Amino acid sequence: MRSAILNVMANAALKAARGLIRDFGEVEQLQVSVKGPGEFVSTADLKAERILRAELTRARPGYALLLEESGATAGPDQRHRWIVDPLDGTTNFLHGIPHFSISIALERDGEIVAGVVYEPTRDEMYAAEKGFGAYLNDRRLRVSARRQLGEAVIGTGMPFGVRADQPGYVDSLASMMSATSGVRRMGSAALDLAYVAAGRYDGFWEFGLAPWDIAAGILLVREAGGYVSDMAGGHEMMTTGDVLAANDHLHLPLAALIREALRGGRVTRRV
Ligand code: 2AM
Ligand code: CA
């Protein structure tokens, strides 16, 4: 049984997902057209956001909103704020790669108290409420129990475009490549965090993410028994956009690895 608020969030995600799935089918067709699916995808993204805004506002009229496409809207309720990414993994969507998600978080007094990440193509609904655990559909989630870095599979997001020269990223990647059992880069940070919560990834790191990419995912990881920090080991993920998530055995060694990489000292394999 989901709580009333998680129901609101899950139903909003399901409703927006129906449009995304339809549009994704169209995008697959548009890959071969000369014009490409670019404009069509922007419209799909905006349509999903409009549905989410309408559903969330209808259920909780006074709450403030922070949406990826339309930005911030204040509300008479000073305590609550929705933080929403209507389409995380836009590049995948644009290229017809079926790996994207909808992310919805609820913040109360500056703290994330509920989060939903939905993956439309697999019909996987990740949901968490502070103090009540994290779930994938009806199954309770737990982060992985792996203790050895050498056995760990770690997710990441690679900076691109104007952010491609993110200082230290390539060094952190090189360190992870030699110290772990492998790195994955799948292109939706919200789902990456959900995968840590589900014990699929043993950890995840990325720099420079936006609040809507990570707000729901952070709660999922925490409620699944994992650890989330920024790269300095603090809790400024939502302001710095830098995120390291892992189970509690691996969080410290991964943090050390990234810190050393950022200092310029390559770390070689430790088992
Ligand atoms: P988006 O698909 O909503 O744009 C991929 O690394 C993750 O980072 C995605 O969650 C993506 O969100 C987000 N992201 C957005 N802009 C980015 C950028 N310039 N560089 C890297 N990641 C970005
Ligand atoms: Ca995003």
Side-chain angles (χ1 to χ4, degrees):
M1 274 294 285
R2 284 200 195 110
S3 70
I5 199 72
L6 278 182
N7 263 330
V8 164
M9 296 161 76
N11 287 335
L14 287 171
K15 188 159 182 191
R18 283 201 286 276
L20 283 182
I21 289 277
R22 253 193 326 270
D23 290 338
F24 185 69
E26 190 69 27
V27 166
E28 286 175 314
Q29 307 299 320
L30 289 172
Q31 294 304 325
V32 293
S33 81
V34 179
K35 202 162 146 255
E39 208 172 300
F40 183 81
V41 170
S42 316
T43 313
D45 194 349
L46 286 170
K47 260 186 350 205
E49 183 161 301
R50 267 200 301 277
I51 293 171
L52 292 166
R53 174 195 280 272
E55 291 296 305
L56 297 171
T57 307
R58 190 163 57 87
R60 297 290 186 277
Y63 289 12
L65 291 139
L66 177 64
L67 302 124
E68 170 160 26
E69 304 304 328
S70 48
T73 313
D77 183 321
Q78 304 286 314
R79 299 184 60 205
H80 295 92
R81 180 168 74 142
W82 296 114
I83 303 175
V84 178
D85 191 343
L87 176 55
D88 189 53
T90 318
T91 308
N92 285 341
F93 192 93
L94 182 68
H95 286 254
I97 300 169
H99 188 82
F100 53 87
S101 62
I102 293 169
S103 174
I104 307 172
L106 176 62
E107 197 181 61
R108 178 181 299 137
D109 301 326
E111 186 186 28
I112 306 153
V113 292
V116 156
V117 174
Y118 183 60
E119 185 177 9
T121 53
R122 288 193 176 84
D123 189 25
E124 291 192 329
M125 180 73 70
Y126 299 87
E129 198 168 355
K130 188 169 184 280
F132 293 95
Y135 289 81
L136 166 49
N137 297 333
D138 295 328
R139 181 166 63 86
R140 179 89 188 243
L141 294 180
R142 181 82 205 152
V143 291
S144 86
R146 275 190 200 85
R147 290 166 178 265
Q148 304 299 323
L149 261 190
E151 292 172 4
V153 168
I154 309 295
T156 190
M158 292 175 189
F160 59 90
V162 290
R163 278 181 36 213
D165 62 348
Q166 168 72 46
Y169 180 76
V170 173
D171 290 323
S172 71
L173 177 61
S175 297
M176 291 286 180
M177 285 163 66
S178 61
T180 67
S181 177
V183 175
R184 300 287 181 273
R185 197 276 190 239
M186 285 160 64
S188 162
L191 274 179
D192 290 334
L193 288 165
Y195 277 27
V196 174
R200 294 174 177 173
Y201 286 159
D202 302 295
F204 165 75
W205 91 105
E206 184 164 354
F207 295 91
L209 289 162
W212 44 79
D213 300 321
I214 56 176
I218 289 172
L219 186 67
L220 284 166
V221 174
R222 286 185 176 149
E223 287 298 317
Y227 242 77
V228 190
S229 74
D230 55 34
M231 298 314 173
H235 291 97
E236 299 301 318
M237 297 82 71
M238 297 280 279
T239 44
T240 63
D242 301 342
V243 178
L244 170 63
N247 71 36
D248 50 358
H249 308 298
L250 291 177
H251 189 270
L252 214 61
L254 287 172
L257 203 93
I258 293 171
R259 233 182 356 259
E260 283 175 65
L262 292 180
R263 274 200 222 105
R266 249 321 127 89
V267 184
T268 45
R269 176 173 273 275
R270 345 161 142 190
V271 185

